[in-house]
Amino acid sequence: MKIEIANCKPPIINPFPGAFAAILVFCAATSFAADDSSTRPTKETYLRIAGEVETNLQKEILQKFFPVTVDEQGGGFYENYSVNWTRAAGGNKSIVYQSRLTWTSAEAARRFPAQAGLYLAMTRRGTACLTDKLWDKTGGGFYWQVSTNGQPVSDTKQMYGHAFGIYALAASYQATKDPATLDLARKAFQWLEEHAHDNVNKGYFENIGPDGKPVTRAGGNSVGAAAGQKSMNTSIHILEALTALYAVWPDPLLKTRVQEMLEICRDKVYSEPGYLTQFFTADWQRTTSPDSFGHDVESGFLMVEADDVLGQDDPRSWRAARHLVDHAMQYGWDNQLGGLYDSGAMNAQGVVTGGLRTEKVWWIQAEQLNALLLQHEHAGKETTKYWDAFIKEWDWI
C-alpha cells in the first residue's frame, strides 16, 4: 500500500501490536489535497502532528529500547525491566518479545538511515537469537520460550509465536538482505506447512507437540484457545506473517496460503456488522466469545495489507476493515477522553450487551491509532470522523 504526503519519509506498513505500530504509518494521513475543504486538516496540521509523533517514536521508544535491552550474556534482548528501566529478575527468551524487537529494529533501520548502523546491528542480534536459541535444531519450529540455559520451557510449540518469528525474519531480511535470514524464514514457513496446516478444514492448528503433530486432546495456549480449537488471534497473526514473507519471497504455495488465510479471516472470523469471533472448532464452527475491540481494528488492516501484497483491491476487505473500526467505536470508544476499551460481552447479532472492560491497554491504543489513520487515508474525502478520533486519542495518550 503506497501512501504519500509531501515532506514525509516513506511509510512503513507492517505494524506489530505495540506503540511503534501507529507511529510508523503517520504519513498515511492523507493522499488527497489538504485544502479540499476547510473542515479537513491542513498540510500544516499533518506535519505538526507527525513531528510530535516522530519525536515520541525516537525518544520514548527507540532510544529507550536500543541498545539498552541488549543482553550481552544471554544473547538477543533482555526482557524484564522495572518502570525506571532497572533490570528485573529473569533471563528467559520468548519468541514473541524477541521477534518484536527484531522487527522493530529492522523497520527503524529502513526509516532512519542516519541511525541504520545501530538498528541493523540490533535486528541481526535478534535474528541470531531466533536462530541460535529459539529455533528447534532437531525437530524444527520455534519454541515458545527458552530458559537461561537454552532449554525449552515447554515442549509444545504455539503457532501464534511461530508466526511472530516468521514476521520478524521477513522484516529483518528486508532491512539487511542477509541470505541466512531469508533461509530461516522460508524454513519456518515450510515447517508450519508440514506440521500445522489443516489440509481438511484449512487454516492452521494452534499447538504442535514434541512429536510434530497437532495437540488436540489436552491443554490450551497463550491466546486462550482450548484443546482442539482454532483462534482468531493465531489466525490473524499467521495472515500477518505470511503477508510479510510473501513481500520478500513470492513463492507460489505461500501466495496460496496468504489468500487462504485472508479468506478465513474475512469470511469466517469476521461477521457483520463488524466484529470477530475469537474461538472456533477445528472445522470453523463459531463459539460464543467476547468482542475484543483491539483485535477488531487490527484485523481490518491485516486484511487490506494482504490484499495489497497479492496485487488485489478487494472491496470486501475494505468494507470489513471499516466496519470493524465503526463497530469498535460504537461500543468500545471513550467518548469523553478518547481511547479504546478492552472488550465487551456480545450476543449472536454482534451487539455488545454489557460486561464492558474499560481498561485501555497499550497495544489496543496502538492498533486503534493505526486503524484510524488507515480509514482516514481511505475515506477522508467523505468524513473527518476517523481523523478527529485519531487526534482525540493521540491527545489523550
Side-chain angles (χ1 to χ4, degrees), residues 338-351:
L340 199 61
Y341 298 142
D342 183 17
S343 62
M346 181 175 59
N347 66 21
Q349 289 72 46
V351 176

Side-chain angles (χ1 to χ4, degrees), residues 278-290:
Q278 289 199 49
F279 303 108
F280 301 81
T281 62
D283 60 353
W284 297 105
Q285 299 302 306
R286 299 174 185 273
T287 67
T288 302
S289 61

Side-chain angles (χ1 to χ4, degrees), residues 67-261:
V68 172
T69 55
V70 167
D71 186 348
E72 295 290 3
Q73 284 72 44
F77 305 103
Y78 199 81
E79 300 192 7
N80 300 307
Y81 289 87
S82 64
V83 171
N84 67 358
W85 288 95
T86 301
R87 285 192 174 186
N92 288 3
K93 297 289 183 288
S94 58
I95 183 62
V96 175
Y97 180 95
Q98 299 299 322
S99 294
R100 283 179 169 174
L101 290 198
T102 302
W103 179 92
T104 300
S105 50
E107 297 291 6
R110 295 174 59 210
R111 185 175 180 87
F112 302 114
Q115 293 86 40
L118 168 65
Y119 296 130
L120 289 172
M122 294 297 99
T123 194
R124 287 184 170 117
R125 163 174 285 275
T127 295
C129 182
L130 267 61
T131 303
D132 299 334
K133 293 185 176 296
L134 286 160
W135 181 260
D136 180 351
K137 296 178 179 61
T138 302
F142 289 110
Y143 294 120
W144 177 250
Q145 189 179 55
V146 296
S147 63
T148 53
N149 63 5
Q151 296 302 306
V153 173
S154 168
D155 58 6
T156 297
K157 300 182 175 86
Q158 299 186 37
M159 296 307 96
Y160 173 84
H162 192 86
F164 275 96
I166 294 173
Y167 184 50
L169 291 167
S172 189
Y173 173 73
Q174 198 165 32
T176 65
K177 298 298 186 288
D178 293 341
T181 300
L182 182 58
D183 287 345
L184 183 58
R186 290 191 300 230
K187 187 185 299 184
F189 166 69
Q190 290 157 354
W191 186 92
L192 178 75
E193 183 67 20
E194 179 181 351
H195 295 275
H197 186 257
D198 184 344
N199 295 320
V200 176
N201 298 301
K202 297 188 177 181
Y204 293 88
F205 296 107
E206 298 275 324
N207 304 325
I208 304 300
D211 60 356
K213 297 179 180 179
V215 177
T216 58
R217 292 186 179 276
N221 64 10
S222 62
V223 300
Q229 286 187 329
K230 290 173 181 170
S231 74
M232 166 272 294
N233 206 344
T234 295
S235 296
I236 66 170
H237 286 294
I238 289 177
L239 173 63
E240 179 181 43
L242 301 188
T243 297
L245 183 56
Y246 186 71
V248 297
W249 180 48
D251 174 74
L253 176 59
L254 177 57
K255 181 178 182 180
T256 298
R257 294 298 182 241
V258 174
Q259 183 69 46
E260 177 181 311
M261 292 308 298

Side-chain angles (χ1 to χ4, degrees), residues 259 262-263 266-267 300 303-304 306-308 310-321 378:
Q259 183 69 46
L262 170 60
E263 291 173 0
R266 188 185 61 210
D267 304 335
M303 295 177 201
V304 170
D307 262 338
D308 184 66
L310 291 170
Q312 304 170 169
D313 190 19
D314 194 322
R316 293 176 296 174
S317 298
W318 278 108
R319 182 171 60 250
H378 190 66

Side-chain angles (χ1 to χ4, degrees), residues 366-380:
E367 298 295 352
Q368 172 74 340
L369 289 175
N370 182 35
L372 290 170
L373 283 182
L374 176 71
Q375 292 306 323
H376 177 60
E377 189 273 335
H378 190 66

